[in-house]
Amino acid sequence: MKIIQLSDPHLMAPGGRLHGSDPLDRLEACLADIGRNHADADLVVISGDLTNDGERAAYAALREALSGFVPPCRLMLGNHDDRALFVEMFPQTPAERGFVQSVFDGSDGRLILLDTLDSGHVEGRLCPARLDWLDEKLQEARDRPVFLFMHHPPFRIHMPVLDEVKLADADTFHDVLLRHGNVGHIFAGHVHRLIAGSWRGIPVSTLRSTNHQSALDFSDSWRLGHEPPAYAVIFIDADGVVVHFHDFPAG
């Protein structure tokens, strides 16, 4: 399977700028690069913070940007999004039990896309209803490998400001995963950095934003980074998972 992940476009109303750049221009550049080079992808996942302020005009701009996009695409929510407005404007996006969560069964495993948005909070959360749904979907997969996509990472990245707003109650989440033992990788967004490692024995990775980055700062403050935007090209087969991080030309 070939999966593309991009994350955190933070769209604003057309013409709006954020941290010195135009989020819509950068997203369109990203989608164009993917279209030129990865039209054969099995799935493209945009892993949350689709907008910066949950504005109707920003979601409309996203809908327009994706209107001619060729590969199949799934949208996820982050803490900057508005779930009710998103569902209204993207009614075709799979959603189950009132959350924007879904499953994609590919040739080499099952992808589970989680909705970690806890409205009104920056940190993420998986309530009992979402954890029960995840438990069911992991059980359904049985011996097939499962790959999780979520906006909020459940693991520390050792940057205090960002660790304060990761997934809350990660222990309960891990208990669900441990019951099944079939999760091969966790792909997250939210932190606006390229990070790879493992969490309690599960390989993990995070991704830069298509618009702006977090500087590498291990103090108690957050600084804007100046790395270029990027997306991930993920290959999954019987031998394992390979993730390529690609800096796309942002114009």
Side-chain angles (χ1 to χ4, degrees):
M1 291 191 295
K2 182 181 184 181
I3 310 297
I4 306 296
Q5 181 195 7
L6 57 140
S7 198
D8 296 86
H10 283 263
L11 292 184
M12 306 177 74
R17 298 182 70 82
L18 182 63
H19 295 297
S21 53
D22 183 325
L24 181 57
D25 279 354
R26 288 206 163 187
L27 177 64
E28 289 175 339
C30 181
L31 295 175
D33 196 77
I34 293 168
R36 283 191 300 270
N37 298 293
H38 307 292
D40 61 339
D42 293 284
L43 186 68
V44 174
V45 177
I46 308 181
S47 53
D49 279 359
L50 305 172
T51 67
N52 195 61
D53 299 302
E55 295 176 287
R56 182 176 295 273
Y59 286 121
L62 175 61
R63 191 167 56 191
E64 177 64 23
L66 291 172
S67 61
F69 193 56
V70 173
C73 184
R74 293 274 180 97
L75 304 176
M76 299 174 61
L77 299 183
N79 49 286
H80 282 261
D81 288 305
D82 181 311
R83 186 183 290 112
L85 181 56
F86 172 83
V87 170
E88 174 193 330
M89 299 193 68
F90 291 86
Q92 76 282 7
T93 296
E96 297 195 29
R97 301 186 189 178
F99 298 99
V100 182
Q101 54 193 11
S102 63
V103 167
F104 176 86
D105 284 312
S107 57
D108 292 283
R110 163 169 281 196
L111 276 57
I112 300 179
L113 283 59
L114 296 171
D115 181 343
T116 60
L117 168 60
D118 186 18
S119 297
H121 298 88
V122 180
E123 67 272 17
R125 190 171 301 277
L126 291 169
C127 60
R130 281 175 279 186
L131 289 172
D132 287 346
W133 178 84
L134 171 61
D135 196 29
E136 290 178 13
K137 298 309 173 185
L138 291 171
Q139 178 63 35
E140 285 176 5
R142 300 188 184 277
D143 295 330
R144 296 195 79 207
V146 175
F147 307 94
L148 300 183
F149 286 79
M150 52 200 304
H151 181 71
H152 294 85
F155 46 87
R156 290 189 305 147
I157 64 168
H158 301 276
M159 296 174 66
V161 173
L162 295 172
D163 287 340
E164 288 175 2
V165 293
K166 65 181 181 64
L167 184 76
D169 203 1
D171 289 341
T172 303
F173 169 65
H174 183 255
D175 287 344
V176 175
L177 306 189
L178 200 59
R179 282 202 288 273
H180 303 279
N182 53 1
V183 173
H185 199 106
I186 297 173
F187 301 91
H190 189 51
V191 296
H192 296 225
R193 290 206 57 79
L194 300 183
I195 301 169
S198 64
W199 175 64
R200 302 180 184 182
I202 302 172
V204 298
S205 57
T206 67
L207 192 56
R208 288 189 200 139
S209 165
T210 58
N211 188 68
H212 60 280
Q213 317 313 330
S214 297
L216 187 65
D217 186 341
F218 298 107
S219 74
D220 290 327
S221 61
W222 183 89
R223 291 187 296 112
L224 181 68
H226 299 289
E227 297 95 337
Y231 62 83
V233 183
I234 303 160
F235 292 96
I236 300 172
D237 59 24
D239 288 333
V241 178
V242 172
V243 184
H244 294 265
F245 298 111
H246 175 60
D247 300 348
F248 64 88

